[in-house]
Amino acid sequence: MNKKIRTIGILSSGITEEYSGQICRGAVDRALMEGINVIIFPGKYLDVRDDILQKESSFEYQYQVLFDEAKKAGVDAFICTAGSIGNYTSRKKLRAFIEGFKDYPIVLCGMHMEGYYSVNYDNTRGVHEGLEFLYDKLGVRKFACLAGSSENTDMLEREMAFCAFMESHDLEVTKDQIVRCLLPRHKDKSTAMILDQNPGVEAIFCANDDTALAVYEEMYYRGLTPGKDIYILGFDDVSGAANASPSLSTIHADAQRIGMECVSLLQKICSDAPLSDRIDFRIPCPLIIRDSFGKGSNKIVSDLNYASDSMNSSLLRNSHSIKTEEYLRNKQLYDAIPVIIENAVASNSEKDFNEQLFNISNLLSDATEKAGATAFLDISSTINYLTKLEQQLRHKYQSEDSLSRLYSVFSLVFKKMVKALNEENGRLTREKMLNEQEMRLFCRRTMSFTTGNDKSYSAILSDLGWLGIDKAALCLTPRMFIHDFRDEYELPDKLLLKAILRDGRVSSPKKQEMTMEEIFKKLSNGEKNQYVMFPIFYGNEYYGFLICNMTEDLYINGDFLAGQAGCAARMISLLHLNEVTSDKLDKLSRIDPLTGILNRRGFTDAAYELFAEEEKGMASHLLLLYLDLNWLKEINDEFGHEEGDHAIRCVGEIITKEAEDKGYAARIGGDEFACLFRCSDKEAADNAILSMRKAFDELNDMSDKPYLVSVSIGSCFVKGGYPKVLDDMLEEADKSMYLEKKNIHKQKGSGFRK
């Protein structure tokens, strides 16, 4: 292939959920190092669970449109979080989806599929270690497994690892011991079933941490205590695992590393670099022991290995939340701890021991205070680690002086940790309050539009600084379309770029119609960057897309931003519709419904527009005609009101044609009409009146109606430069028309044909 990758697209189930968000982080970090652009398409899931459809998030399927747009964005290669995207669908449907990207190099993660390169977890070793610990150290013999979908290879491999362990220890596996579920985040029928079907169960292995915490919820609901009544083992090591009560024993799965390895693998594939025969690359996943294995489990582990692994894994898991130099500094501190521990344990003299204790104290003080490790460290694992360190040293040195120094050092360390934690909690509280305030202000500003035009779309992009966004584009489909679940749809090749944010400035491009690839090129302007694309929708109404540079805040608030953009787009759309409707109603209020020409209000407005032109030196002489339809009452009485209406419409048609390109025509009363003409001089005005009379004569000559359509005409001619008052002009024209009308009415019956 030997093709240099410029842009990688990530087909993800989301950025705000931990697993897929971590994969995106890892891929973005590695791509940034390699000078490669990244575009994240968080299209959620290929199918939606039935229980989700009943909830507020039932319109989550709207995100799926992003997957179709991904092919139009100028991407060279893709990473697909297939395991999470296909979490609620069949393997067949997932394969069909992936084959839709057959024209691109693609690497899968969270799913092994024949014929495709993939980067996945080692789903076997950590599970075996955890179950072996329960069996060997805690004496567990009654196991159960809350498994995921068999369509997902990660879930299936974890279930198979459970079965293999049971078989290797001659433990029977019945159908009741394995319950498959949709990986609930809260207790549901599956968490109830695993307990109901397995009375007396001693340990439950859950397919992931979210499901394990759902089992916690089920147990508490039944008056049971995790880690005491039943041991719980999860998989993933999400941030909530360490902070759960009790802290969750789990298998540490480094999703961030998966994202990094996917980028490296894509580079090799596209550059024709030598690859091993295997196409499924595995990431090791170590066991992390915490309190869900019982408080006594920490005493059983006599060495520091588990505690050290747990602490260091938490450091790596949270490394995304700090700057690179801070992460490296903390990593160096924690890597140095085992070395100093070895030196302390192996000390041959009291003096050497005292020096090592002093070094340990300083090192841990640096970790908790100077490096700010409490902002991201798994405190449970760290305390466990320090406790075991203290135990090792206490057993090594028994003298009264040494023990006194030992207790003094660790007392100081724990006091510093408590102080640092209190300060960190205060910082987090202030940060949360500030973030909530920013969110409230953003909501208020994005819902305070007064107009439904492009300026309102620009206002959305001008208020994204609180999320760290400095590049963004808001593009809409040419028209909003209704998109219901499982509806087929076809997006246009070109979108309308309504607003773009670059270099701190928001603008509305003159040329709005662009392809998706053109929009990305305009936004990046030749610079390397990492972007995320959100759908803009409200319910089943689809409006377009919001593209912005990927920031750390979006891993938390991305879905909120998308939802708010959808609300804003709908508000702007409603305002625009209101403006269009108001404009139509305003126009209708100026139109006579019977004839379709101006009414009195419309005529008055039009007249003053002509008067305003003269003030600008643009107008010439004006002629106002006042017309009255003769014999209308007699026509109505003799032939019916339909014929009377016909006569009125005939007048409207004639005066409109006569006024064409010269001025305005209007029906200003039941049988009264008016025209206002521009004319070059008095002679032109007289000719206009003659032309009007001739038009009515021609109409009557051609008509087969039993009556004549005739009008009495009065006029008012005003020279250019003279003051013009409409009421005065109408009054003068009305007087001259009245004189003509009097003469006509003396001719009784002259409105009918003989």
Side-chain angles (χ1 to χ4, degrees):
M1 188 174 293
N2 199 16
K3 176 183 177 183
K4 182 176 175 60
I5 300 178
R6 298 183 306 274
T7 303
I8 290 176
I10 303 178
L11 307 172
S12 168
S13 59
I15 56 173
T16 56
E17 57 183 45
E18 190 154 356
Y19 169 71
S20 54
Q22 289 279 50
I23 290 177
C24 292
R25 276 191 180 100
V28 165
D29 289 348
R30 178 57 59 86
L32 189 62
M33 292 166 51
E34 300 294 333
I36 299 173
N37 294 315
V38 171
I39 305 173
I40 302 172
F41 304 93
K44 301 294 184 181
Y45 310 103
L46 296 186
D47 269 324
V48 181
R49 296 180 297 179
D50 291 338
D51 59 332
I52 290 293
L53 282 173
Q54 308 303 320
K55 298 180 181 179
E56 188 177 338
S57 57
S58 60
F59 294 103
E60 201 173 64
Y61 67 85
Q62 298 280 26
Y63 279 80
Q64 295 174 9
V65 176
L66 297 176
F67 292 146
D68 292 318
E69 285 299 299
K71 301 172 188 177
K72 305 176 184 178
V75 172
D76 301 311
F78 284 98
I79 295 170
C80 177
T81 63
S84 55
I85 286 175
N87 209 28
Y88 307 118
T89 193
S90 67
R91 192 172 176 83
K92 181 179 179 182
K93 187 171 181 179
L94 178 60
R95 175 175 277 278
F97 168 77
I98 294 170
E99 286 176 352
F101 293 84
K102 63 184 178 181
D103 295 332
Y104 301 87
I106 188 169
V107 170
L108 312 184
C109 46
M111 173 71 74
H112 170 63
M113 188 171 286
E114 186 179 352
Y116 291 94
Y117 284 99
S118 61
V119 180
N120 297 301
Y121 294 134
D122 178 349
N123 291 299
T124 302
R125 183 175 176 180
V127 174
H128 182 84
E129 287 179 359
L131 297 175
E132 187 66 43
F133 185 92
L134 290 166
Y135 180 91
D136 185 48
K137 302 293 184 182
L138 300 178
V140 174
R141 295 298 182 269
K142 294 183 178 179
F143 292 89
C145 174
L146 193 53
S149 169
S150 60
E151 299 283 348
N152 183 300
T153 53
D154 267 352
M155 300 297 111
L156 183 60
E157 287 174 2
R158 293 169 197 176
E159 181 185 337
M160 291 172 64
F162 173 83
C163 293
F165 168 81
M166 298 289 284
E167 184 179 348
S168 68
H169 289 75
D170 296 322
L171 298 173
E172 184 182 6
V173 180
T174 67
K175 63 179 182 179
D176 289 340
Q177 285 175 272
I178 299 177
V179 174
R180 289 202 175 94
C181 65
L182 292 173
L183 308 179
R185 296 181 180 179
H186 299 283
K187 72 182 187 71
D188 68 352
K189 61 182 180 182
S190 65
T191 59
M193 191 180 298
I194 197 71
L195 295 177
D196 292 340
Q197 293 181 179
N198 295 278
V201 65
E202 298 172 296
I204 300 175
F205 167 55
C206 300
N208 69 3
D209 289 348
D210 285 339
T211 304
L213 297 177
V215 173
Y216 271 33
E217 191 177 312
E218 183 70 43
M219 289 182 65
Y220 284 127
Y221 177 74
R222 296 179 179 221
L224 302 173
T225 303
K228 181 180 178 182
D229 297 303
I230 301 173
Y231 301 127
I232 306 294
L233 174 63
F235 199 112
D236 283 340
D237 195 20
V238 299
S239 56
N243 299 322
S245 180
S247 55
L248 176 65
S249 297
T250 185
I251 290 100
H252 175 69
D254 190 351
Q256 196 167 348
R257 184 176 170 188
I258 284 185
M260 298 175 75
E261 294 298 332
C262 283
V263 173
S264 299
L265 183 55
L266 274 177
Q267 286 181 293
K268 291 178 181 178
I269 294 171
C270 293
S271 65
D272 287 337
L275 289 167
S276 61
D277 292 337
R278 64 190 179 94
I279 62 174
D280 182 23
F281 295 82
R282 297 287 172 158
I283 303 296
C285 301
L287 171 67
I288 305 296
I289 294 179
R290 297 193 182 105
D291 292 343
S292 68
F293 276 11
K295 295 289 185 180
S297 62
N298 291 328
K299 297 178 182 178
I300 293 172
V301 185
S302 59
D303 56 62
L304 294 171
N305 291 337
Y306 281 112
S308 178
D309 288 345
S310 179
M311 185 177 67
N312 282 312
S313 69
S314 73
L315 176 69
L316 180 61
R317 185 185 67 238
N318 294 294
S319 62
H320 62 267
S321 63
I322 55 176
K323 295 178 181 178
T324 302
E325 60 270 19
E326 291 177 349
Y327 166 70
L328 292 174
R329 184 166 65 248
N330 280 289
K331 189 71 169 66
Q332 289 169 355
L333 286 171
Y334 285 104
D335 286 345
I337 288 176
V339 177
I340 298 179
I341 291 171
E342 272 190 49
N343 293 337
V345 174
S347 297
N348 295 319
S349 68
E350 197 74 18
K351 180 181 177 182
D352 184 30
F353 180 64
N354 288 338
E355 289 178 356
Q356 296 302 331
L357 286 180
F358 181 75
N359 289 337
I360 291 171
S361 175
N362 286 341
L363 188 64
L364 293 174
S365 295
D366 284 344
T368 56
E369 292 180 358
K370 294 180 182 178
T374 48
F376 57 88
L377 192 63
D378 183 339
I379 297 301
S380 173
S381 299
T382 305
I383 291 175
N384 181 35
Y385 179 75
L386 293 172
T387 301
K388 294 192 179 304
L389 171 62
E390 187 267 342
Q391 291 171 353
Q392 288 271 10
L393 296 174
R394 180 160 43 83
H395 290 143
K396 176 73 176 179
Y397 294 90
Q398 301 291 325
S399 72
E400 186 176 335
D401 288 343
S402 296
L403 290 174
S404 177
R405 287 191 297 269
L406 186 66
Y407 292 138
S408 296
V409 167
F410 278 93
S411 176
L412 176 65
V413 169
F414 282 116
K415 282 180 181 178
K416 287 183 177 181
M417 286 192 66
V418 169
K419 179 184 177 183
L421 282 172
N422 286 335
E423 291 176 351
E424 177 61 16
N425 286 335
R427 185 190 69 81
L428 290 175
T429 300
R430 291 190 299 273
E431 189 177 274
K432 182 181 179 182
M433 291 175 62
L434 181 62
N435 188 55
E436 288 176 350
Q437 182 182 7
E438 290 282 4
M439 290 176 73
R440 285 195 297 270
L441 289 173
F442 179 69
C443 290
R444 187 182 305 164
R445 288 190 288 260
T446 52
M447 298 303 287
S448 300
F449 306 117
T450 56
T451 59
N453 54 33
D454 291 353
K455 288 183 179 179
S456 294
Y457 291 113
S458 297
I460 299 175
L461 300 192
S462 63
D463 204 24
L464 299 179
W466 68 284
L467 291 170
I469 295 170
D470 55 21
K471 285 188 177 181
L474 196 152
C475 42
L476 303 183
T477 54
R479 60 177 181 82
M480 180 275 290
F481 66 93
I482 301 298
H483 177 217
D484 290 314
F485 185 51
R486 292 196 175 98
D487 272 1
E488 292 188 5
Y489 60 90
E490 186 174 345
L491 289 175
D493 292 330
K494 292 192 175 183
L495 302 167
L496 301 178
L497 181 58
K498 290 293 182 179
I500 186 167
L501 167 65
R502 266 190 334 212
D503 303 323
R505 295 179 60 229
V506 180
S507 60
S508 297
K510 291 182 180 179
K511 180 195 172 186
Q512 293 190 348
E513 195 175 59
M514 296 184 187
T515 64
M516 184 60 73
E517 185 173 359
E518 288 171 340
I519 290 170
F520 274 106
K521 285 181 179 179
K522 187 173 183 66
L523 184 60
S524 62
N525 200 26
E527 299 175 358
K528 300 294 181 184
N529 217 318
Q530 288 71 45
Y531 297 104
V532 61
M533 186 172 173
F534 296 109
I536 299 177
F537 66 93
Y538 186 89
N540 63 351
E541 299 172 2
Y542 213 95
Y543 292 93
F545 307 95
L546 173 64
I547 304 163
C548 48
N549 60 298
M550 190 64 211
T551 69
E552 185 62 33
D553 288 316
L554 287 175
Y555 286 112
I556 301 171
N557 295 312
D559 286 342
F560 164 77
L561 174 61
Q564 196 62 26
C567 291
R570 187 168 193 261
M571 176 66 76
I572 295 170
S573 176
L574 289 174
L575 285 170
H576 178 69
L577 179 61
N578 182 63
E579 289 167 3
V580 170
T581 303
S582 296
D583 186 53
K584 287 181 178 178
L585 290 174
D586 187 60
K587 287 180 179 177
L588 287 174
S589 71
R590 290 169 165 77
I591 298 297
D592 172 57
L594 180 59
T595 61
I597 63 177
L598 295 175
N599 59 16
R600 179 178 285 274
R601 179 186 173 189
F603 182 72
T604 300
D605 291 344
Y608 281 105
E609 285 180 14
L610 282 181
F611 297 166
E613 288 180 6
E614 182 169 341
E615 293 178 4
K616 298 176 183 178
M618 298 165 55
S620 56
H621 312 302
L622 293 179
L623 170 66
L624 187 143
L625 300 182
Y626 202 116
L627 302 91
D628 187 278
L629 176 58
N630 298 322
W631 313 111
L632 177 60
K633 183 179 183 305
E634 287 77 5
I635 294 173
N636 285 331
D637 292 343
E638 186 73 22
F639 304 108
H641 284 275
E642 287 188 7
E643 291 298 328
D645 289 347
H646 173 74
I648 291 172
R649 283 193 291 269
C650 287
V651 175
E653 290 172 5
I654 289 175
I655 64 175
T656 298
K657 186 175 181 181
E658 292 297 313
E660 189 176 13
D661 299 329
K662 293 184 291 186
Y664 301 98
R667 181 188 179 201
I668 59 175
D671 57 359
E672 297 175 334
F673 299 82
C675 295
L676 186 62
F677 296 158
R678 301 182 190 90
C679 49
S680 55
D681 51 30
K682 184 65 170 65
E683 183 180 354
D686 294 338
N687 289 335
I689 297 171
L690 291 174
S691 177
M692 184 74 73
R693 295 187 188 281
K694 182 180 179 182
F696 280 98
D697 290 341
E698 290 176 351
L699 170 68
N700 290 317
D701 288 343
M702 297 174 60
S703 174
D704 58 358
K705 295 289 185 182
Y707 54 85
L708 301 176
V709 178
S710 68
V711 293
S712 300
I713 302 175
S715 65
C716 174
F717 176 76
V718 181
K719 293 183 178 180
Y722 281 77
K724 298 173 178 65
V725 178
L726 183 61
D727 288 343
D728 293 345
M729 295 175 69
L730 285 170
E731 184 178 354
E732 182 178 336
D734 183 36
K735 286 179 180 178
S736 63
M737 181 275 295
Y738 180 72
L739 293 175
E740 183 172 313
K741 188 84 171 176
K742 272 177 72 174
N743 294 328
I744 289 176
H745 274 277
K746 289 178 181 178
Q747 307 169 26
K748 190 173 182 180
S750 62
F752 303 106
R753 296 183 186 275
K754 296 178 181 179

